[in-house]
Amino acid sequence: MNFNFTRAMTFGLVFGLLTVVGPAPDAFAASGKTALSDVYKDVTLGVVRINVVKKSYNEIVAEEREKKDNGEDFWLPPDERRKDDQDDEEAKRDKEPDHDWEKKRRNKSTGTGFFISNDGLIVTNEHVVRDGVRFIVVLKNDQRVSAKLLGKDFLTDLAVLRVDMPAGVTPLKWGSSDAVEIGDPVFAVGYPYGFDQSLTTGVISGKQRELSKGKYNPYLQTDTALNKGNSGGPLLSMDGKVIGVNSALYSRSGGNEGLAFSIPSEHAQGIIKLLVEDGEIKRSWFGIAYKEVKKGMGKLVGMDLDEGILILRAPKGEPAHAAGIRAGDVLVAVNGETVRSRLHFRMQAASAKGQTTVTVWRNDGYKSFDLVPDDMDEAKSRRREKQRGKLGLTEKDDGRKEIMGMELVPANEKVWKKLDLTPGTKGLLVDRLETMSQGARAGFTKGEFITQINDTKMVKPDDFETVMQAAIDADDQYVLVYLKRKEEDRVRLIDTLEMVDLEAY
């Protein structure tokens, strides 16, 4: 979830999630029930507590080292793993213990899940079962059954368990998350903070929410109270159908503050089906960096509409570059389906299989390219390997000028050689950069080679200063910067407010 959720930040994302808004009196008419208590009785046995015995510190370290030895990924000790989705309690638990006996000790945790089929399938969150070696499912009537983990997916925070189906349990039914509207009453059932099964109510507060954790989920937002221990439980419509899987909340205090998020049922069902079949999710990789085209951005590339995603980078060796796509293109459709948002594109790209037709806007017209995506996990491992080296540029060159906290050097033989550029290439090298300067705030970094801003070629530092100052004076919200870094063409969208010297005000 691109926030850093620690105590130092204003907000914390808490994984481990229910307490209070009353539904409308007529909310049960569609189900034929006369009260929420009647609906609850129908679902109570289908919602379960999941007790998890975790791996010890030593077991996690051994597993991560084995991954490194097998070339699967870089090794990370427990206290460095997935910091973005750990709350303080988990971070403290995963920190390297002081004593050997603590390193061998297995910890326990608890969460919520619910039955979805008569053959014993149970849905929960991935973070509930993470690092688990044993899973015990506890029913509302205190019946206990051992469960087997069938599959889990970190990026959508979903997991599936299977048990021998207990007698008398009716699986919950899926509802339509697409059909729910903002303001519709909902309720949730789970096991907050280790308490017995609890019910809370609220309304749908928003749809299609994007969080930095769970980047592949178009979350439902609700004010239904969710707390630690309720993770993986169902969010239900007033007829008792599951419209979401409770997953996360924003909080300053670590507890419920009316901002909770659930994975929509329509989206979750497809992930769950793949987890049951394969145990994991294989995602595709286009190999681009991008930014959603917001209002006012389209005109920078000659578009009449503000649509699609602006490609900031299309590195050599990646599928998009091989297909002919370049930085500065605006990707507007995948296999004929219009890109509606950054989140929508992320899911489109991840689910693309085999030859994929991508439509982009370039030079006042639309062009189509056939792209064959890579496997995401393999591509990311290659990318990490490439990024180990650093460029490092320190030479002094004639013609430099300091502008907005950056020392800009016009292209010369030393720059061409250092950056492996074709002799004669025009542009400006960012050779030095002051911390917290206007240039640094805008996103420039040392070692970048700026070739063009909007439609103006960069030849000398004064060109940069003139274009930037003109954009600020004209109250243009954005400027489009074309640059090269590490032999790659890149594009950066600069918010001109970041280029203003705030001290002048």
Side-chain angles (χ1 to χ4, degrees):
M1 286 176 144
N2 264 350
F3 307 109
N4 224 346
F5 296 102
T6 66
R7 284 188 182 273
M9 299 294 287
T10 302
F11 290 100
L13 178 61
V14 179
F15 283 83
L17 305 168
L18 272 191
T19 329
V20 319
V21 174
D26 299 328
F28 313 101
S31 66
K33 303 293 183 181
T34 58
L36 178 57
S37 58
D38 292 332
V39 179
Y40 169 65
K41 290 174 184 176
D42 290 342
V43 302
T44 180
L45 274 182
V47 182
V48 298
R49 184 202 304 270
I50 300 175
N51 292 335
V52 182
V53 178
K54 302 279 190 176
K55 299 171 187 173
S56 68
Y57 180 89
N58 281 349
E59 288 173 318
I60 294 173
V61 168
E63 184 181 81
E64 293 293 324
R65 282 177 174 158
E66 184 178 357
K67 286 182 181 179
K68 179 187 178 184
D69 293 340
N70 292 336
E72 293 180 35
D73 209 337
F74 297 109
W75 173 66
L76 292 174
D79 56 328
E80 293 294 327
R81 298 164 77 236
R82 298 174 179 139
K83 281 186 174 180
D84 61 330
D85 61 83
Q86 289 183 322
D87 61 19
D88 295 322
E89 182 180 332
E90 289 175 313
K92 182 179 179 180
R93 180 202 71 199
D94 285 344
K95 186 177 179 181
E96 182 171 0
D98 296 325
H99 307 287
D100 286 341
W101 67 268
E102 291 177 311
K103 295 181 181 181
K104 299 176 182 178
R105 182 180 62 189
R106 285 180 168 177
N107 296 303
K108 298 178 182 180
S109 66
T110 185
T112 302
F114 57 95
F115 284 98
I116 60 167
S117 69
N118 287 313
D119 59 352
L121 290 180
I122 296 174
V123 171
T124 188
N125 286 149
E126 184 274 340
H127 74 264
V128 169
V129 302
R130 187 181 305 158
D131 296 330
V133 293
R134 189 182 179 203
F135 311 96
I136 302 297
V137 171
V138 185
L139 278 67
K140 178 70 162 53
N141 59 12
D142 288 333
Q143 183 178 355
R144 295 169 178 257
V145 288
S146 181
K148 177 184 178 181
L149 179 64
L150 292 186
K152 60 181 181 176
D153 180 49
F154 171 70
L155 292 179
T156 54
D157 197 27
L158 287 169
V160 184
L161 302 166
R162 189 190 292 279
V163 301
D164 292 331
M165 191 66 173
V169 176
T170 301
L172 274 59
K173 297 179 180 179
W174 291 107
S176 174
S177 55
D178 291 345
V180 298
E181 298 181 358
I182 296 173
D184 283 351
V186 291
F187 71 101
V189 180
Y191 294 83
Y193 291 113
F195 283 95
D196 287 340
Q197 192 179 95
S198 304
L199 178 151
T200 53
T201 62
V203 298
I204 296 295
S205 307
K207 299 178 68 174
Q208 295 287 322
R209 296 295 197 229
E210 182 179 357
L211 306 179
S212 58
K213 165 66 178 77
K215 291 183 178 180
Y216 292 83
N217 291 330
Y219 286 97
L220 295 174
Q221 180 186 329
T222 177
D223 65 350
T224 305
L226 302 175
N227 289 292
K228 294 180 183 179
N230 287 103
S231 293
L235 184 70
L236 304 114
S237 56
M238 285 301 164
D239 57 0
K241 293 182 179 179
V242 179
I243 58 169
V245 182
N246 298 322
S247 178
L249 60 95
Y250 274 117
S251 176
R252 288 189 177 98
S253 64
N256 171 67
E257 293 183 10
L259 276 170
F261 300 89
S262 300
I263 305 163
S265 59
E266 308 277 9
H267 178 64
Q269 289 177 78
I271 302 297
I272 291 164
K273 182 176 183 294
L274 293 174
L275 290 177
V276 172
E277 293 174 352
D278 304 324
E280 61 179 349
I281 304 297
K282 287 289 186 181
R283 291 182 172 84
S284 294
W285 171 265
F286 282 18
I288 58 175
Y290 53 90
K291 187 179 186 69
E292 184 175 336
V293 175
K294 300 287 189 180
K295 186 175 181 180
M297 293 183 186
K299 65 180 182 181
L300 296 176
V301 293
M303 298 178 69
D304 293 331
L305 301 175
D306 297 316
E307 63 176 358
I309 57 165
L310 173 66
I311 297 176
L312 306 178
R313 293 175 54 206
K316 291 180 180 178
E318 300 292 358
H321 189 277
I325 296 169
R326 298 292 182 265
D329 291 344
V330 178
L331 196 156
V332 296
V334 177
N335 286 330
E337 182 184 10
T338 300
V339 175
R340 299 193 298 269
S341 67
R342 179 176 59 177
L343 173 60
H344 181 231
F345 168 72
R346 190 179 295 133
M347 294 189 291
Q348 284 178 303
S351 60
K353 304 299 179 186
Q355 183 169 298
T356 301
T357 300
V358 176
T359 304
V360 304
W361 171 270
R362 178 192 294 175
N363 297 333
D364 301 328
Y366 292 102
K367 299 180 182 296
S368 292
F369 298 89
D370 290 330
L371 180 154
V372 179
D374 279 350
D375 175 83
M376 178 183 290
D377 292 334
E378 294 175 5
K380 283 189 174 182
S381 291
R382 290 198 307 270
R383 194 164 162 234
R384 291 189 192 103
E385 194 70 45
K386 288 180 181 178
Q387 290 176 342
R388 280 181 159 181
K390 292 188 176 180
L391 187 59
L393 295 165
T394 58
E395 289 85 352
K396 289 279 186 181
D397 294 287
D398 293 336
R400 71 180 57 232
K401 183 176 183 179
E402 182 172 334
I403 301 172
M404 297 178 176
M406 301 184 291
E407 283 193 17
L408 300 178
V409 180
N412 55 39
E413 289 186 7
K414 290 183 179 180
V415 172
W416 295 329
K417 184 177 180 180
K418 176 65 75 172
L419 301 183
D420 196 23
L421 296 172
T422 303
T425 303
K426 301 296 184 183
L428 303 171
L429 168 67
V430 181
D431 194 35
R432 295 184 183 277
L433 182 69
E434 294 179 12
T435 303
M436 295 306 294
S437 64
Q438 295 163 269
R441 290 201 308 268
F444 290 101
T445 60
K446 179 181 175 180
E448 292 181 333
F449 186 74
I450 304 168
T451 59
Q452 181 176 326
I453 300 177
N454 291 342
D455 57 357
T456 302
K457 303 290 186 180
M458 295 292 105
V459 178
K460 55 187 184 299
D462 288 344
D463 297 332
F464 179 96
E465 188 171 35
T466 299
V467 172
M468 285 297 188
Q469 193 60 54
I472 293 171
D473 292 343
D475 289 328
D476 290 337
Q477 185 174 358
Y478 303 104
V479 295
L480 198 58
V481 179
Y482 297 83
L483 51 89
K484 295 177 181 291
R485 183 176 176 84
K486 297 182 180 179
E487 303 178 28
E488 290 179 5
D489 289 325
R490 303 188 183 187
V491 173
R492 178 169 297 135
L493 201 65
I494 301 293
D495 187 331
T496 56
L497 180 62
E498 299 296 338
M499 300 298 296
V500 175
D501 185 357
L502 300 180
E503 293 181 3
Y505 293 85

